[in-house]
Amino acid sequence: KQEVTQIPAALSVPEGENLVLNCSFTDSAIYNLQWFRQDPGKGLTSLLLIQSSQREQTSGRLNASLDKSSGRSTLYIAASQPGDSATYLCADGSSNTGKLIFGQGTTLQVKP
Amino acid sequence: DTEVTQTPKHLVMGMTNKKSLKCEQHMGHRAMYWYKQKAKKPPELMFVYSYEKLSINESVPSRFSPECPNSSLLNLHLHALQPEDSALYLCASSPGLAGVAGELFFGEGSRLTVL
């Protein structure tokens, strides 16, 4: 059974800090991994989709990496801002049935 | 336009009511999904439609009935729900089946409360 794990469950940092969110997966044949952001009571916003062949994807202050050999993906947030406070979820998108396997999420608080 | 639109945003219903949740996308995506999300948990897949045909039903109780009238619309019909069905219901779409066939986009969700 494929699993996705995100540790820690919660993280609090001061504004301006660079930070890394972690995502571990057991699927050695992972095809892609998607990072989402969710604000309280809202839907999920897609941040980055990273293919196994790409290793890295960047969007603004966000950078996602994917290392199949170690079973890890990281989401790097540069110069964090209070507006970055949200829950961040990663999902293994390797199934050809449409089913994503989600991690439990990391809730980030950026303090002014 | 990467938008998935869900209505209503909030719904309160009794256990004997019949109601529907609606979802619409105009991105030309051929796969659409219903997810259920409880507080502080990741979304749980309920149904997948691919090219307007139901391809996955994750053993969802029959009191939830999905419908895909066309490639842009997805409905979730609700009948005789239980209080434990109260949750955020999320609709999503992707160009093909998510994962190997593209990025998944979510709507803002419909907050359902069953009294």
Side-chain angles (χ1 to χ4, degrees):
Chain A
K1 179 185 172 186
Q2 309 294 0
E3 292 185 352
V4 176
T5 305
Q6 292 183 253
I7 297 173
L11 182 62
S12 181
V13 300
E15 182 178 4
E17 222 175 75
N18 301 325
L19 62 100
V20 173
L21 303 180
N22 296 301
C23 174
S24 299
F25 49 87
T26 59
D27 183 0
S28 60
I30 191 166
Y31 186 82
N32 65 41
L33 191 131
Q34 194 167 356
W35 282 93
F36 296 91
R37 168 190 172 137
Q38 186 173 30
D39 294 294
K42 302 289 188 181
L44 279 69
T45 300
S46 178
L47 297 174
L48 289 164
L49 173 70
I50 179 165
Q51 307 285 357
S52 60
S53 58
Q54 292 178 307
R55 296 187 65 84
E56 272 193 20
Q57 272 280 53
T58 298
S59 175
R61 293 183 293 109
L62 305 180
N63 176 276
S65 68
L66 179 63
D67 185 344
K68 285 178 65 173
S69 61
S70 65
R72 284 189 62 201
S73 175
T74 60
L75 180 67
Y76 174 83
I77 302 177
S80 59
Q81 303 169 359
D84 294 329
S85 298
T87 296
Y88 291 81
L89 296 117
C90 63
D92 176 352
S94 304
S95 168
N96 61 0
T97 65
K99 184 172 183 177
L100 297 187
I101 302 173
F102 281 91
Q104 295 292 311
T106 294
T107 298
L108 172 66
Q109 182 184 32
V110 181
K111 295 180 177 178
Chain B
D1 180 12
T2 56
E3 195 169 284
V4 176
T5 304
Q6 289 188 243
T7 56
K9 288 188 172 21
H10 300 276
L11 178 63
V12 179
M13 59 186 291
M15 290 189 283
T16 58
N17 291 158
K18 284 185 182 181
K19 298 286 184 183
S20 297
L21 305 181
K22 297 184 185 301
C23 176
E24 190 169 4
Q25 57 87 14
H26 294 289
M27 295 179 277
H29 288 176
R30 304 316 301 262
M32 296 186 76
Y33 311 77
W34 281 114
Y35 281 83
K36 173 182 177 179
Q37 188 178 29
K38 292 283 210 178
K40 300 191 186 303
K41 296 288 187 183
E44 296 174 24
L45 183 66
M46 299 174 73
F47 303 103
V48 179
Y49 273 84
S50 176
Y51 290 85
E52 300 162 48
K53 288 185 169 39
L54 183 66
S55 62
I56 292 182
N57 176 341
E58 289 284 288
S59 302
V60 178
S62 60
R63 58 185 183 268
F64 295 91
S65 176
E67 179 196 19
C68 189
N70 60 55
S71 61
S72 300
L73 293 174
L74 187 65
N75 298 322
L76 186 63
H77 303 298
L78 313 170
H79 174 54
L81 295 192
Q82 304 296 311
E84 58 264 30
D85 296 322
S86 298
L88 183 67
Y89 287 84
L90 295 163
C91 175
S93 72
S94 61
L97 288 174
V100 296
E103 191 172 354
L104 194 64
F105 295 91
F106 281 85
E108 285 294 306
S110 293
R111 172 69 61 187
L112 173 67
T113 302
V114 182
L115 301 176

